[in-house]
Amino acid sequence: MTDQRTLAPTGPATTQPASAPPSPARRSQVATLVAMCLGAAITFLQITATVSALTTIQRDLRVEPTTLIWIPSAYTLAVASLVLSAATLGNRFGRKRMFGAGVATMIAGGAVVAQAGTPAWVIAGQLLAGIGGALILPNSLAILGATFTDPHRRTEVITAWSAASGIGLAVGPLIAGALLRQHHWHTVYLSTIVLGVVTLVVAAVGVAESRQGTGRLDLLGLLLGTVTIAAFVYALIQAGRDGWTSPPVVAAWLGSAAALVGFVLVELRTAAPMLDVRLFRSASFSAVMVVAAVSLFGFTGVAILLVLFHERAQGLNPLDTGWRMLVLFGVYALAAFGAGRTIRRTGFKAPLTAGLLLGGLASLGLAAQGPATTFGQRWPLLALFGAACGLVVAPATAAALASVAPARAGMASGAVNAARQVGSVLGASLLGTLLTTRLLAELPERLAAHQVAEPARSAVQSAVAAGTSGTQPLPDPVRAALAEALTAGVQAGLRVNAIVFLATAVLALALVRNRPHQH
């Protein structure tokens, strides 16, 4: 066929360069995508960098196991509690402004942890960083939706945004491991500060401001929602130390339930709800919220279990652990990126169901392995679990928007972000608490099996409970007993995750709407 460009006049008014430079609008789109992906990456880098440094933090600050779980949980708790209100703030005051405020707050939180000398200051810095993460996540997604208006292009950039979270998860252990090899654990949090500054510069240069309406901040809904989640997570974590029926834990359960009832009543009556609970009348939307929560429940919780297993049961240093975890996180990022193209052909149901099913099977496979298992035997299961989670996370975001009418897409976006972060904090707290509870329960029997006599046996148990067992070299029998007890806790957590994933696969298959809402 003749190239029509050869028939065009060659005067200066019509001549086009062979490769014209990108238009300002195109450059702005590229800068926006880069800035939003960097923001997403930072929010998840904070999670895995913290998890990778947990052993060193515990050893240096002598943190008891039940308190240790609060270090990663504090961050995800703040994100989960505030992410819906952060979306409202963006709609009212400007998404770019709130995104920038979130990055600045993340930087401030990293600075607090980088200077922390006590567990309380580490947790405080994590809470502050979590506030920043809550501002970043929904507003970065909303900015991409406002910038890329073509539906297919929007799906691609949302997939890239989801994959960027996987990149943040993947590089977190490597950065932490490299820094911990040469420097103090405080330097791990300098990565948040550096990447945050880069993100602010890119956003300031290329991102346009956007807002939608004059949304009113739902203060009562925010308070009740925060109390619901915070009390529930507190009960989960403290139950591992104080018992499931202890008065503080029971009070937390009751407080969480009462706040949840109040939240639903307030959201039904307010004119501008933080979350319109009527959306849950859609069985598909409700199922997608569960799927989104479960995907991060497993991904975050299993990541914590595996990092602690590699470092404490197999005796690896943080950098070697980071390279092994790169298999999981790297495959996750690739699968999340590819899932955006897959759902065009298959719809939502197939990747969601397959991902949950494969994730459950991979968890069972990993639960069958022990300290003597080589990396050559482990890496296929790590890759399978990463791919499984990648198949779920990006389609779940798209399916949430597709499960409601287009006019409700913004609220659905905030809801799925909140569900994912609630799942993340529950994964860190529930599976982490299960690990520490099982470790402390198994340790006496394991020490006896390795013929560790009194008073050394009681001294080891007390040291583990107080978080001081890693401050000096341990005899081989004690080290073997600790590795076996910790492995039992890891295996218990992996089996629970497998059950959760497999049950949710059935839910996704039965209830998730396979194609976009048509009304």
Side-chain angles (χ1 to χ4, degrees):
M1 181 179 289
T2 303
D3 189 343
Q4 296 300 315
R5 289 174 297 180
T6 62
L7 303 179
T10 58
T14 57
T15 300
Q16 294 291 330
S19 57
S23 66
R26 176 64 175 169
R27 288 196 296 269
S28 177
Q29 286 186 335
V30 171
T32 299
L33 179 59
V34 170
M36 299 307 106
C37 286
L38 280 173
I42 294 170
T43 61
F44 285 89
L45 181 150
Q46 183 82 5
I47 296 172
T48 51
T50 297
V51 170
S52 299
L54 277 181
T55 297
T56 308
I57 293 173
Q58 182 179 30
R59 184 184 302 121
D60 184 46
L61 301 181
R62 300 193 175 190
V63 187
E64 61 182 48
T66 50
T67 302
L68 188 71
I69 298 303
W70 275 107
I71 292 177
S73 297
Y75 173 79
T76 48
L77 172 61
V79 175
S81 302
L82 301 173
V83 68
L84 279 174
S85 292
T88 303
L89 287 172
N91 289 340
R92 183 175 183 182
F93 299 112
R95 294 158 178 162
K96 176 184 176 180
R97 182 176 291 120
M98 291 299 103
F99 174 84
V103 176
T105 307
M106 282 281 296
I107 293 172
V112 170
V113 181
Q115 299 293 326
T118 66
W121 276 109
V122 175
I123 293 171
Q126 286 284 87
L127 284 169
L128 185 59
I131 295 172
L135 288 168
I136 290 171
L137 285 170
N139 288 299
S140 60
L141 191 57
I143 288 170
L144 289 177
T147 303
F148 297 90
T149 55
D150 176 73
H152 293 300
R153 181 63 174 150
R154 182 185 299 165
T155 299
E156 291 175 356
V157 298
I158 289 175
T159 300
W161 179 87
S162 298
S165 66
I167 295 173
L169 290 165
V171 301
L174 296 178
I175 292 174
L179 291 172
L180 288 170
R181 171 170 285 189
Q182 301 292 335
H183 305 285
H184 201 269
W185 63 264
H186 292 92
T187 60
V188 169
Y189 294 90
L190 297 179
S191 57
T192 298
I193 298 172
V194 173
L195 289 175
V197 171
V198 173
T199 303
L200 284 177
V201 171
V202 176
V205 171
V207 178
E209 184 59 277
S210 67
R211 54 170 53 88
Q212 180 180 4
T214 57
R216 182 173 58 86
L217 185 60
D218 181 11
L219 290 175
L220 186 55
L222 166 63
L223 176 62
L224 291 171
T226 301
V227 170
T228 299
I229 298 169
F232 183 66
V233 172
Y234 172 84
L236 282 176
I237 295 175
Q238 291 303 115
R241 183 177 71 177
D242 301 336
W244 294 93
T245 57
S246 65
V249 171
V250 171
W253 290 125
L254 294 176
S256 178
L260 177 61
V261 172
F263 176 79
V264 172
L265 293 176
V266 167
E267 298 306 281
L268 284 173
R269 296 178 181 179
T270 186
M274 182 173 70
L275 174 63
D276 187 350
V277 294
R278 296 176 183 85
L279 290 175
F280 290 92
R281 291 175 179 172
S282 164
S284 179
F285 181 81
S286 299
V288 169
M289 292 301 104
V290 174
V291 170
V294 166
S295 67
L296 265 290
F297 170 92
F299 199 73
T300 304
V302 168
I304 291 175
L305 296 179
L306 293 179
V307 167
L308 294 176
F309 172 81
H310 285 131
E311 292 186 0
R312 299 189 185 182
Q314 294 196 317
L316 300 176
N317 63 52
L319 184 58
D320 288 338
T321 297
W323 284 115
R324 284 160 174 75
M325 295 298 291
L326 183 62
V327 174
L328 190 158
F329 297 135
V331 172
Y332 163 85
L334 293 174
F337 188 77
R341 298 176 182 270
T342 301
I343 59 178
R344 288 191 187 184
R345 298 189 298 271
T346 66
F348 307 116
K349 192 185 294 285
L352 292 177
T353 304
L356 291 164
L357 178 62
L358 293 175
L361 295 176
S363 295
L364 289 175
L366 288 167
Q369 298 181 345
T373 305
T374 65
F375 182 61
Q377 296 170 295
R378 292 181 67 78
W379 77 260
L381 290 171
L382 293 174
L384 179 61
F385 188 75
C389 290
L391 282 174
V392 175
V393 172
T397 303
L401 274 64
S403 296
V404 300
R408 297 297 186 96
M411 185 170 287
S413 172
V416 74
N417 262 310
R420 290 172 64 184
Q421 297 309 316
V422 169
S424 182
V425 71
L426 291 180
S429 58
L430 182 59
L431 298 186
T433 300
L434 180 60
L435 165 63
T436 57
T437 303
R438 188 65 179 272
L439 164 64
L440 295 173
E442 290 276 335
L443 189 56
E445 181 182 342
R446 304 289 177 172
L447 289 169
H450 285 275
Q451 300 179 341
V452 178
E454 293 288 1
R457 188 188 308 174
S458 295
V460 170
Q461 292 172 223
S462 299
V464 170
T468 60
S469 60
T471 57
Q472 57 187 356
L474 299 172
D476 288 343
V478 173
R479 187 166 59 249
L482 282 171
E484 291 173 5
L486 184 133
T487 299
V490 170
Q491 290 171 338
L494 288 168
R495 285 193 290 268
V496 167
N497 185 69
I499 293 171
V500 172
F501 265 56
L502 294 175
T504 309
V506 176
L507 183 71
L509 182 63
L511 297 180
V512 172
R513 182 182 291 120
N514 202 41
R515 297 292 176 183
H517 193 284
Q518 299 298 323
H519 304 294

